[in-house]
Amino acid sequence: MTKVFIIAAGLATGVLAADRVKVASGTLEGTVNIDSTVRIFRGVPFAAPPVGNLRWQPPQPIQPWSGVRKADEFGAHCVQGKVFGDIESRGKKMSEDCLYLTVWAPAKPAAKRLPVYVWLYGGGFAAGSGDEPRYDGEGFAKRGIVAVNVNYRLGIFGFLAHPELTKESAHMASGNYGLLDQVAALEWVRKNIAAFGGDPHRVTIGGESAGSLSVSALMASPLSRDLFQQAVGESGAFFAYVGGRGSASLAESEKQGAAFAASIGATSLAELRAKSAGDLLAAAMKTNNGFGFWPNVDGYFLPVEVQSVFAEGKQSKVPLLAGWNADEVRMGVTMAKEKPTAKSFPAHLREQFKDNADGALKVYPASTDAEAVRSAGDLASDSFIVFGTWKWLEMQTKTGRPVYRFQFDRAVPVPAGMQAMAHGLKSFGAAHASELEYVFNVLPSKKADWQPEDQKVAETMNAYWANFIRTGDPNGPGLARWPDFAKTHEVMHLDTESKALPEEHRDRYEFLDSIQAPASTK
């Protein structure tokens, strides 16, 4: 009996030791997944809590701790309003003290250090968290990758610019605190990821929507463009055509911030910092439902517009895998009470594009009502996210590095119980963000009428992404060949039968590019 106890105690000690790592600031004790194949470290701080006088300051170094810090629960998610119905945080609370990350790492020791994938969530820079179930990194860890999900400040807390904030800054900059959080997380990864078995010099950054915009910005920023070796972008980049949304100038953002302060009766920065997080959030939600705060060209994180950096060839010259979904925001047109017609849509194009309306009608035709609805859906998606992502890919092809472009085509099946709410539709198509559960291979994290074919797509996409993270090339055994877009202009269409096809709709993107306004510099 004593012998059995000693053996059991030894095994317990071995497991406990395996779940402990020493990082620069102290010792962490994590946990393992259900089959003990993946070590998980939740709620790991990568910067000091941005509270009190650190509100609206660049992230500061984390204070070291003594003893062993438990890393078995997700950290708080950053303060945000409820602006998207599909965002679900697993963290127990919401707080300004939210600069935490989660690490998933293979439990079995590897002969060599493993590739690292750092994920940045979407949510319009106003919502989201790294602990959403659809971003769970266990699937990547099971493929021999160290996955890291990062929180960054949002909305009024992450992107408020103000003349007083600029004045107190050593860099005469303000407003991009959420992006600086991402830089701090990448610096943490470079300094600490080897403790988890990761290679600090084999880092891939990835993100979706605002996270993908962030990836394009991190590629452009002098503060971050050397902190990673590869990049993944899903639906989004800081390349906007006329009428789209790029980055405001610092002066514009300061003016907006000063107006916000005045609207809540704060006559100084001290009074702004004295406001509670709840009061600030409530006031911010009255500004475009919380979306009123956005990255700017601050002269520090972004010396000039992202597009200008790429035009000058000064961005990270790394392999890029990026693309978008076939029906990004098409359902907004499909489900509208008043749908475009062959008569109304050309009138809309004339109003929107004015002297360029004839060119618009050539690429967004409307000879019939059905064609008008289809073209309106195309224009909505192109305006929202597609053009910017296309332009990003185009500019990266000039670096000579591999560029892999995708289009996600799988129509996610709507649960039968929700079809009435969906106007009887069995699917919204391949809508914005619908690829996420497939990429991370976590279909059960979302309620849908999943079919066996969906699991096949998920395994295929997770394998493509994992291969790219490991090698800079998504190709591998058992997968359809994914050509380098820079060399072939072929696009990988991801569906039940994934296949590469020649690029489509280039005329639309080139038309939008032809009316592009010159990028502002500051």
Side-chain angles (χ1 to χ4, degrees):
M1 182 68 179
T2 302
K3 184 177 180 180
V4 171
F5 175 79
I6 292 172
I7 293 173
L11 288 172
T13 302
V15 171
L16 186 64
D19 295 338
R20 284 186 179 178
V21 297
K22 180 71 169 67
V23 295
S25 48
T27 300
L28 294 164
E29 183 176 298
T31 185
V32 294
N33 67 336
I34 194 168
D35 62 6
S36 299
T37 58
V38 176
R39 298 188 298 158
I40 308 170
F41 298 83
R42 304 181 179 98
V44 179
F46 65 86
V51 299
N53 287 334
L54 295 185
R55 179 190 279 172
W56 303 310
Q57 287 280 354
Q60 300 299 307
I62 188 71
Q63 291 298 310
W65 60 84
S66 58
V68 177
R69 181 186 178 112
K70 291 281 189 179
D72 55 358
E73 292 187 359
F74 291 107
H77 52 285
C78 296
V79 178
Q80 59 195 269
K82 188 69 174 178
V83 294
F84 293 109
D86 62 344
I87 289 180
E88 176 189 351
S89 174
R90 290 183 286 184
K92 291 182 179 180
K93 63 179 181 177
M94 180 171 71
S95 172
E96 283 188 87
D97 177 5
C98 64
L99 298 185
Y100 299 94
L101 54 79
T102 300
V103 179
W104 290 266
K108 185 178 179 180
K112 296 182 179 179
R113 287 181 177 174
L114 301 172
V116 180
Y117 191 37
V118 179
W119 177 255
L120 305 169
Y121 50 79
F125 295 111
S129 76
D131 57 55
E132 293 180 49
R134 58 184 173 177
Y135 306 146
D136 194 285
E138 185 173 320
F140 282 118
K142 287 186 173 182
R143 290 184 183 271
I145 291 164
V146 179
V148 182
N149 286 9
V150 175
N151 280 355
Y152 59 91
R153 283 172 281 180
L154 299 162
I156 182 68
F157 303 96
F159 298 96
L160 175 74
H162 189 280
E164 283 193 61
L165 284 169
T166 302
K167 186 177 180 180
E168 76 171 17
S169 165
H171 308 284
M172 294 301 292
S174 66
N176 285 337
Y177 306 110
L179 294 171
L180 293 172
D181 293 341
Q182 297 171 9
V183 176
L186 288 172
E187 290 172 339
W188 184 95
V189 166
R190 174 160 288 188
K191 190 173 184 178
N192 295 289
I193 207 64
F196 302 86
D199 187 338
H201 301 293
R202 293 176 67 195
V203 175
T204 300
I205 60 171
E208 184 270 341
S209 197
S212 188
L213 269 78
S214 297
V215 170
S216 72
L218 290 166
M219 289 176 67
S221 175
L223 304 184
S224 53
R225 57 189 177 213
D226 296 325
L227 292 174
F228 52 91
Q229 289 70 48
Q230 297 167 169
V232 173
E234 300 169 28
S235 303
F238 274 113
F239 297 82
Y241 83 99
V242 173
R245 189 173 189 183
S247 302
S249 69
L250 176 59
E252 290 169 332
S253 295
E254 286 178 333
K255 184 177 179 180
Q256 179 201 36
F260 173 80
S263 73
I264 59 174
T267 60
S268 68
L269 181 55
E271 290 183 11
L272 268 176
R273 285 196 170 119
K275 297 285 185 181
S276 71
D279 287 346
L280 287 170
L281 178 62
M285 292 298 290
K286 297 176 183 177
T287 305
N288 196 20
N289 197 34
F291 292 98
F293 303 92
W294 193 259
N296 72 77
V297 182
D298 62 353
Y300 176 51
F301 177 82
L302 286 179
V304 295
E305 281 272 14
V306 170
Q307 184 162 329
S308 295
V309 176
F310 277 71
E312 295 170 6
K314 294 181 179 179
Q315 78 275 25
S316 296
K317 295 175 176 61
V318 298
L320 173 65
L321 184 155
W324 57 83
N325 298 351
D327 305 295
E328 288 284 350
V329 290
R330 187 180 302 278
M331 66 179 178
V333 174
T334 304
M335 296 176 63
K337 289 183 179 180
E338 295 186 13
K339 294 180 174 58
T341 66
K343 181 179 180 180
S344 66
F345 188 61
H348 168 77
L349 293 181
R350 283 191 291 273
E351 180 181 355
Q352 180 174 349
F353 292 100
K354 297 180 173 58
D355 293 344
N356 296 299
D358 289 343
L361 194 55
K362 287 181 182 179
V363 295
Y364 299 105
S367 59
T368 65
D369 289 350
E371 189 175 55
V373 171
R374 184 168 61 252
S375 287
D378 291 337
L379 177 58
S381 291
D382 292 352
S383 304
F384 169 60
I385 217 83
V386 172
F387 170 76
T389 313
W390 173 84
K391 185 66 176 178
W392 181 25
L393 284 153
E394 284 291 302
M395 299 193 83
Q396 193 66 3
T397 62
K398 298 175 183 178
T399 65
R401 302 308 305 277
V403 173
Y404 297 95
R405 180 174 145 189
F406 73 85
Q407 179 174 298
F408 177 70
D409 292 336
R410 177 65 178 167
V412 178
V414 174
M418 293 176 61
Q419 287 179 14
M421 185 175 66
H423 294 209
L425 297 175
K426 293 184 179 180
S427 174
F428 291 128
H432 187 62
S434 63
E435 87 287 359
L436 288 166
E437 290 81 8
Y438 295 86
V439 168
F440 285 86
N441 197 8
V442 287
L443 297 188
S445 69
K446 179 178 183 176
K447 186 178 181 182
D449 188 19
W450 301 118
Q451 302 298 312
E453 294 83 359
D454 291 293
Q455 187 57 46
K456 176 185 175 183
V457 176
E459 290 170 1
T460 295
M461 291 178 67
N462 190 249
Y464 274 132
W465 263 241
N467 289 341
F468 180 79
I469 294 163
R470 279 194 293 263
T471 68
D473 183 335
N475 292 289
L479 298 171
R481 182 71 185 168
W482 188 336
D484 180 346
F485 176 77
K487 296 179 179 178
T488 66
H489 272 245
E490 289 188 274
V491 178
M492 177 56 70
H493 286 255
L494 299 164
D495 205 336
T496 50
E497 296 298 330
S498 296
K499 55 187 175 181
L501 297 171
E503 178 188 21
E504 298 178 303
H505 311 307
R506 189 175 184 87
D507 57 344
R508 297 205 316 245
Y509 315 136
E510 288 184 337
F511 164 73
L512 294 175
D513 201 25
S514 73
I515 60 173
Q516 175 100 348
S520 63
T521 56
K522 190 171 180 182

